[in-house]
Every structure is written in C-alpha cells, then in structure tokens.
Amino acid sequence: MIWNREIEQAGRGQIRELQLERLKWAVSRAYDSVPFYRKKFDEIGLKPSHIVSLEDIRKIPFTTKDDLRDNYPYGLLAVPMSQIVRVHASSGTTGKPIVAGYTRDDLDNWSECIARLVTMTGGCSDDVAQIAFGYGLFTGGFGLHYGLEKVGAAVVPISSGNSEMQLMLMRDFGATLFVSTPSYILYLSEFAEESGVKKSDIKLRIGMFGGEGHTPEMRAEIEKRWGIVATENYGLTEVMGPGVSGECTEFCGMHVNEDHFLAEIVDPGTLEPLGEGEQGEMVLTTLSKEGMPMLRYRTKDITFMDYAPCRCGRTTARMHKVLGRTDDMLIIRGVNVFPSQIESVLVGMPRIGPHYQIVVSRKGYMDAMEIQVELADASLLESYRELEKLEKAVHDRLKAVLRLESKVKLVEPKTLARYTGKAKRVTDLRNA
Ligand code: DLL
C-alpha cells in the first residue's frame, strides 16, 4: 500500500508551501537549461527570481502542443541525453509525435504517483493486475506497470488487443485488477458474453480506466457487466503520462498528485484564471520533472477543481472528470456539442448498446449530425414499429439535452467499430 500521508494528508497551507518551493526550483531549471523557456522569459523580461508566490505563476507564458512539435524531438529536454533513461511519445492525428524524456528520478516519481493511485482504488499487493494498455511508446502500459509493481501487485503485462487471450488469462491467472481504456473493457464485455465467460469464472474486483473519458452512465454499465469497482485516472504524455490524478473509492473527482503537478484552470478564450468550481481548461506545471519540465502546459481538457478535503481522508485537490476537450467540441449550426453529452444520453437508455458513432456532415450551408447507435438486441429489427418508436425516443431525448436536431440511426448489433485503445467516435466530414 502506498499512501504518502506527508503529502496526501497535508494541510492546504503545507501543500502550497511545498508547491511554491518546487515551482521556484522548476522555473529556475527550465530557464537555465532549456533555451526555449529562456527565450520566452527574456522576451517579456521575466526572471525566475520574479516568482515569489504561487500566484506569480500567472506571469509565465503558456506552453502548447505546437511548442512541443516545434522543438521535436529533444528540444525541450533540460538534461543531456546521458541522463535520459526512457523516451515515450504520443502520436497525434497528424504530423510528428509528442516526445517525452525521463531521468531515473522521473521514473521513480512516476512509479510513486501511480502507486498512490492504485492504493486509492483499493489495489494492494494481493492483486493480480492485468495491464491491457499498449506497451510501447504509449505511456499507458509502462506507466501503470511500475506503479503496480511498486505496490507489490503481481503484474501481468499482456498489453493491448488479443481479446481471446485477455479472457483466458483473466480467468486462468485469477486477475483481480484490470487496466485499460473504458472503450476496451466494453469491447471485452461483448467478447466475454460470446465466449460464455460468466462473472463467476473471474475474480476481477477493480478496474482502473483512463486514457480517455467515460461518462457516469458508461461506468455504471461497466460495473454492472463485470461486477467490479470501476475507477478512473487521468494523465498526458506531455507532463508524465498516467499518474497526474486518479479517483479514490469516494468517487468525487480525481486526486491530483499535487507535489508533482500544479493545476490551474483558465478560461480557454481569455486565458484568465478561474476559481475553484469554475469550469475551464486545465493548465499543468510539473514541479519535479527533471528530464522535460513543463511550465503552464495547456492541456485543452475541460474540467474544474475542488480543494475541500475528501471523505477518504486525503487533502489533495480533486479535478472533476474531464467534460470534454476544447478541440473535441463540435459546433453544429452554432450550437456547442460535446460527444460526452451524447454518450450520457445514449448509455442511459434501454434497448440500445453502449456503442455509437457520431457523423457530422454539411449539406449546402447546413450542418447535419447523424448519431449511429447499436441496438442491444437484434430481435427489435423485426418490428418496424418498435424500431421507429425507439428511434424517436432516442431522438427526442437527444434533442432535449443538446437543444439541437440530429438524425438517429439504429443499427444492427456488432456493426459499429470497436476499439482496443482510445475510441474515435466522431467523424467530421465537413472539411473532408
Ligand atoms: O492517455 C496518458 C494516460 C494513459 C492516462 C493511461 C491515463 C491512463 P496521451 O496519449 O498523451 O496520454 O493523451 C492525453 O488523453 O489530454 C486527455 O484528453 C485524454 N485523457 C487521458 N485520461 C483521461 C481521462 C495518456 N481519464 C489525453 N478522462 C489527455 C478524459 C483523458 N480524458
């Protein structure tokens, strides 16, 4: 069990004090060792010595994904290659990947961060942990791996895909903790059903899901199908990978590892800071990273913060689950739509499965959105009236929530795409 009481139960004043001390360290190192940061500071006449309070962080310019791309592959490293012991990367949809370099201490801190998250979910040394994240450049596999080992769990590094083997090992090795994206466990649910695997054949008790969001409705679906406690964790390659934050079993947000990350919320339009409980874009600063320090990284993830102590006994700030990304928001005929809103509606409805795709197109000057949803049971296809009734019910519910007209198309079970990693549920044909 890894519960670092010194930080996870510290008073807010103590946490802020530690953060300030580390922020000053991080800023000086970035300024002294990374020409990119030095140039940005010099342009506005900012010196590391100007950072004397946590609020002074607002003087520091933001860092964006483009900055990482422009400095590809190693331009943002703060140490010589001889001190880097691991490199990861995240492939974007276009162009060059985002690269992250880690020193040995960075890897130790990473393991500690994950170990805390595992402990928060109830994971311990008795667990057999099956990791179904890809092992490779993606941070998911290796990231969870070392933290689970640190806790003492028996790690099964099966990696992603090969669902038949996943189920076989899950049963034969007695896996009790499963790690994947929410999309993959859903896919595996289906596989389990088809292969006649019963709940009683497996010992799973905890799920640790991340790398993408899932709605409360989707969580309920996963918990029901597997009889597990489904928890969520969050992170991104740019600042570490998984390990930034994760849920405890009080399920009231994800505890941020605040001794390693300083979280701010800003208005994505004006970039002005927002207060506790106010929804905006999360900006992260690394407080301990040696290999590749990140100052004020704009994550594009939309969430809000809660600084009240948690019922679990931890005092670290909690971020609410990610509500969407500033770049996955669809604007359909002027109305803002997040895919997660659509998922909430669909997964809560009877007779349809959790699999869906959103297709946006443009006819003339008009945007059109079609939502393809799988039926849970093919027998409904035999009654046109029933089908029409259900289609209308889904349509009306979506219209009420989104305040937008969309076309709903119910399709046969198992005809839409399945994902072993992160799902891609939106196809936007408007600029194709
Ligand atoms: O997805 C790191 C990770 C791996 C986190 C495994 C948790 C578990 P990237 O590939 O760089 O890193 O993608 C980072 O994924 O900015 C979010 O938009 C999204 N994301 C990650 N976790 C969550 C989550 C990993 N729990 C990007 N909820 C982030 C919503 C998430 N979005």
Side-chain angles (χ1 to χ4, degrees):
M1 199 166 85
I2 305 288
W3 183 335
N4 189 335
R5 287 178 201 279
E6 230 172 86
I7 178 72
E8 290 180 275
Q9 292 195 297
R12 289 263 18 118
Q14 278 169 288
I15 294 176
R16 287 174 61 84
E17 216 172 280
L18 177 70
Q19 286 190 317
L20 177 58
E21 187 190 308
R22 291 193 173 182
L23 177 66
K24 287 179 182 169
W25 171 85
V27 169
S28 295
R29 277 192 88 249
Y31 184 81
D32 292 341
S33 321
V34 187
F36 161 81
Y37 285 117
R38 178 184 285 265
K39 183 163 170 279
K40 286 222 293 195
F41 274 51
D42 287 349
E43 271 166 13
I44 55 168
L46 184 67
K47 294 267 174 271
S49 59
H50 295 162
I51 307 296
V52 293
S53 74
L54 276 185
E55 284 64 38
D56 286 336
I57 195 171
R58 295 172 191 166
K59 297 176 179 164
I60 301 173
F62 293 100
T63 307
T64 64
K65 209 182 258 293
D66 283 341
D67 294 326
L68 275 105
R69 292 227 166 88
D70 294 345
N71 289 283
Y72 172 88
Y74 297 140
L76 293 185
L77 295 186
V79 297
M81 251 354 238
S82 58
Q83 286 179 41
I84 295 289
V85 295
R86 177 97 64 79
V87 175
H88 279 286
S90 104
S91 48
T93 37
T94 51
K96 302 273 194 195
I98 297 303
V99 181
Y102 306 76
T103 65
R104 201 168 292 283
D105 278 353
D106 289 339
L107 292 186
D108 285 347
N109 287 333
W110 196 3
S111 304
E112 157 89 17
C113 285
I114 297 287
R116 290 183 199 165
L117 303 194
V118 173
T119 303
M120 276 181 221
T121 70
C124 64
S125 57
D126 295 337
D127 279 301
V128 176
Q130 183 163 336
I131 302 185
F133 274 141
Y135 276 69
L137 288 176
F138 179 52
T139 51
F142 283 101
L144 266 296
H145 183 105
Y146 291 101
L148 277 153
E149 269 189 7
K150 191 175 169 82
V151 169
V155 173
V156 182
I158 182 166
S159 196
S160 58
N162 199 345
S163 301
E164 224 161 288
M165 174 100 132
Q166 296 275 357
L167 286 179
M168 184 177 83
L169 296 199
M170 192 185 279
R171 194 168 40 190
D172 296 351
F173 290 11
T176 54
L177 191 153
F178 191 77
V179 176
S180 74
T181 56
S183 304
Y184 188 52
I185 188 76
L186 270 182
Y187 178 31
L188 213 53
S189 309
E190 233 171 43
F191 229 83
E193 243 159 67
E194 279 168 15
S195 343
V197 175
K198 294 189 290 292
K199 261 193 208 168
S200 54
D201 295 334
I202 53 160
K203 293 192 183 147
L204 275 196
R205 63 184 196 100
I206 298 172
M208 288 183 72
F209 304 113
E212 64 181 0
H214 60 303
T215 54
E217 292 79 8
M218 191 72 96
R219 181 213 295 273
E221 178 84 19
I222 294 169
E223 291 194 324
K224 191 174 79 198
R225 287 191 178 200
W226 291 93
I228 58 172
V229 173
T231 67
E232 175 172 12
N233 60 89
Y234 166 90
L236 54 155
T237 312
E238 292 87 330
V239 301
M240 176 182 268
V244 172
S245 65
E247 273 181 320
C248 65
T249 48
E250 294 293 334
F251 300 104
C252 50
M254 295 184 274
H255 287 277
V256 177
N257 279 311
E258 284 189 284
D259 46 343
H260 298 287
F261 304 98
L262 181 59
E264 297 171 85
I265 303 291
V266 301
D267 179 315
T270 63
L271 300 179
E272 284 303 312
L274 295 174
E276 179 170 6
E278 288 183 301
Q279 201 171 302
E281 178 177 347
M282 188 155 74
V283 171
L284 288 171
T285 297
T286 58
L287 297 175
S288 63
K289 206 69 180 313
E290 293 177 342
M292 196 173 88
M294 270 293 125
L295 301 184
R296 302 198 88 198
Y297 184 70
R298 287 188 61 182
T299 64
K300 297 196 172 176
D301 293 319
I302 297 167
T303 182
F304 57 87
M305 299 297 294
D306 185 345
Y307 292 94
C310 180
R311 285 187 297 268
C312 74
R314 291 178 182 81
T315 49
T316 42
R318 284 162 286 134
M319 62 179 266
H320 188 267
K321 71 176 9 285
V322 174
L323 297 157
R325 284 178 56 81
T326 54
D327 56 2
D328 79 1
M329 186 179 81
L330 295 162
I331 304 180
I332 316 272
R333 298 195 292 274
V335 180
N336 298 349
V337 178
F338 282 108
S340 58
Q341 292 174 293
I342 296 174
E343 180 176 304
S344 282
V345 170
L346 298 179
V347 181
M349 295 196 71
R351 311 190 78 177
I352 52 177
H355 304 280
Y356 64 96
Q357 288 294 142
I358 302 164
V359 182
V360 185
S361 57
R362 180 168 286 154
K363 293 193 183 83
Y365 292 106
M366 277 291 267
D367 295 331
M369 178 163 67
E370 179 176 277
I371 299 166
Q372 303 168 349
V373 195
E374 271 186 18
L375 289 165
D377 175 4
S379 67
L380 206 67
L381 287 165
E382 282 155 27
S383 162
Y384 184 73
R385 260 192 56 200
E386 287 287 303
L387 201 62
E388 218 179 20
K389 215 166 103 190
L390 181 60
E391 219 161 54
K392 183 166 177 339
V394 178
H395 167 272
D396 291 353
R397 187 89 200 92
L398 279 168
K399 188 172 176 185
V401 172
L402 306 178
R403 297 178 190 288
L404 182 77
E405 193 60 47
S406 61
K407 183 172 184 310
V408 172
K409 188 173 166 195
L410 296 176
V411 302
E412 281 182 53
K414 302 190 184 118
T415 49
L416 295 180
R418 298 292 188 267
Y419 302 94
T420 57
K422 303 189 191 206
K424 189 178 175 303
R425 300 205 189 272
V426 181
T427 311
D428 197 337
L429 302 171
R430 285 177 295 186
N431 298 316

